[in-house]
Amino acid sequence: MKIKINSHATTVKPSIIREMKVLADSYKNVIDFTLGEPHISHHTYETIHEGLHQRIMRSPIGYSHQYGVLELREAIAEYCQTHYNQDYDPKSEIVVTTGVSEPISAVLKTILEEGDEVIIFSPSFTLYNSNVKMYGGKVVLYDMIANEMKVKSDVLSELITPKTKAILVNSPCNPTGKVFSQEDNKAIYECIKDHPIFVISDEIYREIVFDGVECPSLSDYQDLRDRMFILNGVSKSLAMTGWRIGYVLGPKEYIQIVAVVHQNFVASASTISQYATLEALKHPELTKNICSLYERNRNYVYEQLKPYFKQVVLPEGAFYLYLDASNYGLSSYEFAIELLKEQRVAVVPSVAFEAQDSGYVRLSYCCDFEVLKEGIARIQNFRKSL
C-alpha cells in the first residue's frame, strides 16, 4: 500500500559532501579532503578531559534545560559580548543546540511560510538550500563568483521581492573562505534596512581567519537586532565536531519560538557535551593553534595548486580551497570521481554548493600537514595526466 508523504521532504536530496565521504571510505589508502573536520580533536580532549571528568562527577548529567545549561549560556553571552559586542540575555535570548546544522533548521522552521523566499549567497553550504525547500520556501541565489566575490547593491536589490522573508550570510564562507567585508555588509544593510526581512548570520567560522583579516558581522548594525539570528558553535574553532554543540542568539520574541522548535527536534543538547564546551572555552589557545596550523596549510595548498587550475579562490578564513577545474573538459563531479579512482584523493564537487555544476571542487585542508603534502602531490600528478 502506497501512502502519500510530505511533498517537500521528497525534494530534499542526500548531501553530496556525505556521499563523497562514504565513497572515499570504500577505497584503501585514501587521502580524504571532503569533510570540514579539524584533525586535532584529540588534542582538545586531552586539554579538557580532567576538568570535564571533575565536572561530570559533581554535576547532573541528565537532560538539561531546553535552552541549555545556564552556566554555558552565561559563558557564551560573555564570550560574544567581549569578542564581538553582541549583547544577549543568557536566560532568554540564547539557545544551546546540537551543532549549528540544527539551529539552521530550527530558525528556518520558525520563520518560513509556504512560498517565502530566502536570499542565499552562492556558493553556499548545502544544508541552507535543503532546509529552505523542506519548509516550503524558495531559494533565491546571489552568485558571488559571477560578481567578483563582492556584494553589489544593484544586483542584490533586484533579488528582493515582497515574498523575501530572510537573507542568510555565512562569513567566512563555506566553501570559498570568503570573508564578507565592511563594504559587503553595508551593501546588504542598505538593501534590506527598509524591508521586513530576517537576517540569519552563520558565524561558525568567524574565529578562523588569516593574515590579520577582520571578520565583521551584520550584528554591528544595532537596528537589525530585533530581526536577526546569529548562529555559532565550537565544532570548528575548538575542534569539537563530534561533541555537537552550537548556539543561536536572537531577540526574545523569536528565540522563545525557536526554543520550542528546538525542544521538539532534540529535547535538549547533550548535557555532557555542554560541560565539555564549558571546559574548552577556558582554553583560547586551542583556537589560536587551529588558526596557526591551518594558515600554514592554506598558504601551502594555495601556492601548490594555483598553477594547475583555471581559478583558485584565496581563502580569507575557514579551511577550504575552492578550485576551478573546468578547463580540463570534465564536470566537477566527473573530476572528483576520477581523482578518487586514479589517485585516491577525495574532494567535493561544486554541485554540493551551487545550483549548477560550475566546474569547481572544494578541498578541505584542515588536516595534518604531511597528509596535505601527499594529497597535493597526488592532485598535481592527476592534473598532469589529463
Side-chain angles (χ1 to χ4, degrees):
M1 179 186 300
K2 187 166 180 144
I3 303 174
K4 186 177 180 181
I5 64 171
N6 186 293
S7 60
H8 296 312
T10 62
T11 68
V12 179
K13 306 300 181 186
S15 166
I16 294 175
I17 301 173
R18 292 288 177 169
E19 176 186 324
M20 293 304 300
K21 169 64 176 171
V22 170
L23 193 57
D25 288 344
S26 69
Y27 287 82
K28 294 181 179 179
N29 190 30
V30 165
I31 293 181
D32 187 355
F33 294 140
T34 58
L35 299 186
E37 190 161 43
H39 77 290
I40 57 171
S41 55
H42 284 93
H43 177 61
T44 297
Y45 181 69
E46 288 171 357
T47 303
I48 69 172
H49 79 277
E50 287 188 13
L52 175 58
H53 175 73
Q54 293 172 13
R55 185 178 290 274
I56 288 173
M57 295 308 294
R58 70 173 186 264
S59 307
I61 56 173
Y63 294 118
S64 77
H65 189 282
Q66 65 266 28
Y67 278 60
V69 172
L70 180 57
E71 186 181 354
L72 176 56
R73 284 181 276 146
E74 290 171 340
I76 290 168
E78 181 180 356
Y79 183 90
C80 292
Q81 172 62 53
T82 301
H83 289 80
Y84 304 128
N85 197 31
Q86 295 169 339
D87 189 9
Y88 288 86
D89 184 348
K91 293 184 177 178
S92 61
E93 295 184 313
I94 299 175
V95 177
V96 180
T97 58
T98 304
V100 175
S101 296
E102 188 229 321
I104 291 168
S105 191
V107 168
L108 290 171
K109 177 66 174 174
T110 298
I111 68 174
L112 289 184
E113 296 183 298
E114 192 75 25
D116 283 345
E117 297 176 354
V118 179
I119 297 173
I120 297 173
F121 294 90
S122 175
S124 63
F125 181 46
T126 182
L127 290 189
Y128 301 150
N129 294 20
S130 60
N131 273 276
V132 170
K133 294 175 183 176
M134 188 163 56
Y135 297 129
K138 177 185 176 183
V139 174
V140 177
L141 296 177
Y142 179 103
D143 190 333
M144 290 295 290
I145 292 177
N147 286 286
E148 303 170 310
M149 300 301 289
K150 298 177 182 178
V151 179
K152 299 178 180 178
S153 297
D154 57 335
V155 178
L156 178 58
S157 61
E158 290 182 0
L159 301 180
I160 297 173
T161 75
K163 292 186 177 181
T164 304
K165 177 60 70 72
I167 188 165
L168 198 160
V169 179
N170 173 215
S171 177
C173 172
N174 173 12
T176 63
K178 155 76 178 177
V179 170
F180 282 65
S181 66
Q182 295 278 13
E183 292 74 21
D184 292 321
N185 286 346
K186 183 178 181 182
I188 295 170
Y189 172 75
E190 292 295 335
C191 286
I192 68 171
K193 66 179 181 179
D194 297 323
H195 297 277
I197 297 173
F198 284 108
V199 178
I200 304 171
S201 183
D202 183 350
E203 303 183 4
I204 186 63
Y205 298 100
R206 189 171 184 182
E207 287 81 7
I208 305 173
V209 289
F210 310 125
D211 302 324
V213 169
E214 294 289 328
C215 185
S217 167
L218 283 165
S219 64
D220 295 338
Y221 295 93
Q222 287 298 312
D223 56 327
L224 295 179
R225 189 188 187 283
D226 65 351
R227 47 172 160 147
M228 185 170 192
F229 300 97
I230 300 169
L231 314 180
N232 210 326
V234 296
S235 291
K236 315 298 183 178
S237 60
L238 292 171
M240 296 180 71
T241 53
W243 296 92
R244 309 307 303 128
I245 292 294
Y247 54 87
V248 53
L249 316 176
K252 180 179 178 180
E253 176 186 4
Y254 300 121
I255 279 293
Q256 62 186 353
I257 308 302
V258 172
V260 172
V261 175
H262 156 75
Q263 185 179 22
N264 279 271
F265 280 169
V266 297
S268 62
S270 161
T271 302
I272 294 173
S273 293
Q274 291 184 69
Y275 292 153
T277 300
L278 266 168
E279 292 301 316
L281 287 172
K282 298 176 182 177
H283 296 278
E285 72 276 9
L286 290 170
T287 301
K288 291 179 181 178
N289 184 41
I290 286 171
C291 290
S292 177
L293 288 172
Y294 296 154
E295 183 165 5
R296 179 193 185 194
N297 284 8
R298 182 211 57 169
N299 293 341
Y300 181 82
V301 69
Y302 179 76
E303 291 300 328
Q304 290 296 313
L305 290 183
K306 187 168 60 171
Y308 291 85
F309 288 85
K310 183 177 179 181
Q311 174 68 26
V312 181
V313 179
L314 176 65
E316 299 168 295
F319 34 62
Y320 308 106
L321 198 67
Y322 210 48
L323 310 148
D324 185 355
S326 63
N327 58 327
Y328 282 79
L330 299 173
S331 69
S332 70
Y333 189 81
E334 291 169 337
F335 181 92
I337 294 298
E338 290 303 311
L339 177 62
L340 180 59
K341 287 180 178 178
E342 293 188 20
Q343 292 291 334
R344 300 296 191 265
V345 174
V347 295
V348 182
S350 64
V351 284
F353 313 104
E354 303 183 61
Q356 305 294 329
D357 192 321
S358 66
Y360 279 77
V361 294
R362 188 194 77 174
L363 182 154
S364 176
Y365 54 81
C366 52
C367 58
D368 177 79
F369 187 66
E370 294 304 316
V371 173
L372 181 68
K373 288 200 297 185
E374 172 61 24
I376 297 313
R378 294 186 191 184
I379 293 173
Q380 290 170 335
N381 289 335
F382 176 68
R383 292 311 302 262
K384 291 173 183 177
S385 71
L386 292 177

